[in-house]
Amino acid sequence: MTNPIEIKFVADVMLGRLSKWLRVMGCDTHYQPFYRSEIIDMSIREGRLLLTRNRRMTEKYHPSLLIETDNVRTQLQEILKKGYLTLDSSRWFTRCLVCNIPLKKIPIEESKAQIPDYIFNQNKPDIYLCPSCGRYFWPGSHKTRMMKQLSEWNLFNTD
Ligand SMILES: [Zn+2]
């Protein structure tokens, strides 16, 4: 089986929340709230695994994985159990949650001009930029909250 680190996903319209959490965990996850079928075809040709709540879609598209539940924690566990997810916490928060693009570390001086001083001073070794949307990211309360959530879901790195 492919190393789970290299697995890329395309998630169907029902799986917006799951997609966000896969991105939090560093997984390359294409998601749109609406798809023309060409987009799914193209994503699969790019080597993505289709995640879907729709059994008929799993008959039509390969490779694909039927997600059996609506609960995001259970959904992540399903993917983990099939061997398509790693719990490598060093990959968490390395991807833009909006664009699905890997974040870039930028020179400290460059970020200083772009964000408020107090945030810069508290976070300067850990400020990242999304090259697609231009958003800056730093460890903040939302990150702490998400890590706590992943830990409560037993999705912390067990190495
Ligand atoms: Zn972005």
Side-chain angles (χ1 to χ4, degrees):
M1 184 186 286
T2 321
N3 182 343
I5 284 181
E6 290 153 19
I7 289 178
K8 298 182 291 180
F9 302 105
V10 51
D12 82 10
V13 294
M14 306 278 290
L15 297 173
R17 200 153 171 254
L18 174 65
S19 299
K20 188 196 89 175
W21 280 99
L22 286 169
R23 289 174 185 174
V24 168
M25 296 176 82
C27 303
D28 183 338
T29 309
H30 183 86
Y31 171 78
Q32 297 176 201
F34 170 80
Y35 286 97
R36 284 172 301 141
S37 63
E38 305 93 272
I39 300 288
I40 296 183
D41 287 331
M42 202 178 74
S43 299
I44 286 178
R45 274 202 306 278
E46 276 174 17
R48 293 177 185 274
L49 170 71
L50 174 67
L51 302 174
T52 178
R53 289 282 289 124
N54 183 333
R55 191 174 296 275
R56 250 177 298 154
M57 297 268 279
T58 63
E59 286 155 12
K60 186 169 170 198
Y61 294 104
H62 303 277
S64 55
L65 177 65
L66 181 68
I67 299 293
E68 312 257 8
T69 70
D70 284 319
N71 174 289
V72 77
R73 178 206 171 153
T74 321
Q75 292 174 338
L76 288 166
Q77 300 284 4
E78 285 180 55
I79 299 170
L80 183 67
K81 231 181 287 170
K82 302 273 179 181
Y84 296 128
L85 189 60
T86 63
L87 299 184
D88 178 358
S89 57
S90 70
R91 300 176 69 225
W92 293 2
F93 304 99
T94 56
R95 194 167 283 279
C96 179
L97 301 185
V98 181
C99 310
N100 189 40
I101 299 278
L103 300 176
K104 272 202 178 133
K105 190 119 194 162
I106 48 165
I108 284 186
E109 284 314 307
E110 197 178 308
S111 64
K112 188 170 172 45
Q114 304 298 327
I115 57 181
D117 281 347
Y118 75 99
I119 290 173
F120 177 80
N121 291 328
Q122 282 170 16
N123 299 284
K124 56 190 158 191
D126 291 310
I127 294 169
Y128 292 83
L129 172 70
C130 171
S132 174
C133 67
R135 285 180 175 82
Y136 288 85
F137 292 84
W138 53 83
S141 57
H142 75 286
K143 182 170 172 179
T144 312
R145 226 173 24 245
M146 286 175 176
M147 304 223 359
K148 189 161 165 272
Q149 182 67 87
L150 286 167
S151 154
E152 283 166 10
W153 286 344
N154 291 319
L155 290 167
F156 243 112
N157 192 355
T158 48
D159 287 352

